Amino acid sequence: MDAFFGSQSTSRSRWSYDSLKNFHQISPVVQAHLKQVYLTLCCALIACGIGSYLHILWNIGGLLTTFACVGSMAWLMSTPSYQEQKRVSLLMAAAVLQGASIGPLIELAFDIDSSLIVTAFVGTAISFGCFSAAAMVAKRREYLYLAGLLSSGLSILFWLQFASSIFGGSASVFTFELYFGLLLFVGYVVVDTQNIIERAHVGDLDYVKHALELFTDFVSIFVRILIIMVSLLSCLGDKSFFLSLIFLV
């Protein structure tokens, strides 16, 4: 019996170690594509940070920058893939506008405790990296079935926020929307990563569009983590401002 449990333990250890190196199912072309996607994502996050800094300097963030961000994303998606330089420029413009749109939240967190921003970003980066890596080493298409469930959850979240904006929401509804939204977008990191890999395997190497998908996931997670941290450190009487921020991202 000791031999049996010993062999089982060795098997589990070997599986865990091998699974961490299990990139053989991803072809070299797709691996190169993923590197380009994540490099573009990093550039977009830097641009987003610049947008937040511009808001702190000139107070430019608001509904106008939010609508401009959505317009830039729509323009990017409608631009042919061969216009690569234009699409990258539109992605960076959308990232700057997105940063300006969440600038009021960044500014509030900075006024309370500047370390909150760094902590929230590091926490987001770690969770994003872990779930994205889990999607890469998992069996291909293993988590794509979650897309339908996540879409249904996102629809529920949208209608809850819509009802709260009209009829008003309680603290319990706000908390549910906050944590449920965080769970949803963490799930989207896994699904979007596997979806990008599958599309790349069939020849869709549009790294700009794929970076945009991961960028929206990252920002959505970051905003929710930062709101949770801010709400834990301050007594927030009126949460409508934060609900509007979540609704817009």
Side-chain angles (χ1 to χ4, degrees):
M1 183 171 291
D2 290 339
F4 171 77
F5 285 111
S7 62
Q8 292 285 16
S9 176
T10 303
S11 176
R12 284 194 296 268
S13 299
R14 184 170 59 251
W15 178 89
S16 299
Y17 178 70
D18 291 340
S19 64
L20 290 175
K21 305 184 299 178
N22 185 24
F23 291 100
H24 66 274
Q25 61 182 344
I26 304 177
S27 67
V29 174
V30 177
Q31 290 182 29
H33 173 67
L34 289 174
K35 291 178 182 177
Q36 197 170 20
V37 168
Y38 284 103
L39 178 61
T40 308
L41 172 62
C42 290
C43 294
L45 292 175
I46 293 173
C48 185
I50 293 174
S52 298
Y53 181 69
L54 292 177
H55 168 78
I56 294 175
L57 288 180
W58 297 316
N59 194 30
I60 60 175
L63 284 177
L64 184 60
T65 56
T66 300
F67 290 140
C69 176
V70 174
S72 298
M73 291 181 180
W75 190 2
L76 186 158
M77 297 300 292
S78 62
T79 302
S81 58
Y82 62 83
Q83 298 182 4
E84 182 177 342
Q85 186 174 359
K86 180 180 178 180
R87 299 176 83 244
V88 171
S89 299
L90 286 171
L91 175 59
M92 296 304 133
V96 171
L97 292 167
Q98 179 70 84
S101 299
I102 65 174
L105 175 61
I106 300 293
E107 189 174 14
L108 176 63
F110 187 82
D111 291 338
I112 295 174
D113 187 350
S114 59
S115 65
L116 288 177
I117 301 171
V118 177
T119 305
F121 181 82
V122 172
T124 303
I126 292 174
S127 60
F128 182 92
C130 289
F131 283 98
S132 188
M136 290 182 191
V137 301
K139 185 186 299 183
R140 286 179 55 185
R141 298 182 293 274
E142 183 176 4
Y143 296 111
L144 292 183
Y145 75 94
L146 293 175
L149 295 176
L150 292 174
S151 297
S152 300
L154 191 62
S155 177
I156 293 172
L157 186 65
F158 172 82
W159 287 112
L160 273 177
Q161 293 175 348
F162 181 75
S164 297
S165 64
I166 296 177
F167 304 107
S170 63
S172 58
V173 173
F174 167 78
T175 303
F176 173 78
E177 292 174 349
L178 189 60
Y179 286 94
F180 183 60
L182 178 61
L183 180 63
L184 277 179
F185 284 102
V186 166
Y188 266 115
V189 171
V190 178
V191 172
D192 286 344
T193 301
Q194 283 211 329
N195 194 28
I196 288 170
I197 293 173
E198 289 306 310
R199 283 184 289 180
H201 272 290
V202 297
D204 183 2
L205 301 177
D206 189 353
Y207 70 93
V208 180
K209 181 178 67 176
H210 295 166
L212 175 62
E213 294 174 2
L214 295 180
F215 172 74
T216 55
D217 294 340
F218 191 100
V219 173
S220 298
I221 295 172
F222 171 75
V223 166
R224 284 159 178 80
I225 290 178
L226 187 56
I227 292 176
I228 290 171
M229 297 179 67
V230 169
S231 62
L232 291 176
L233 290 180
S234 61
C235 297
L236 302 175
D238 183 13
K239 296 185 176 66
S240 60
F241 169 73
F242 297 100
L243 286 173
S244 65
L245 275 175
I246 297 176
F247 180 79
L248 292 174
V249 298

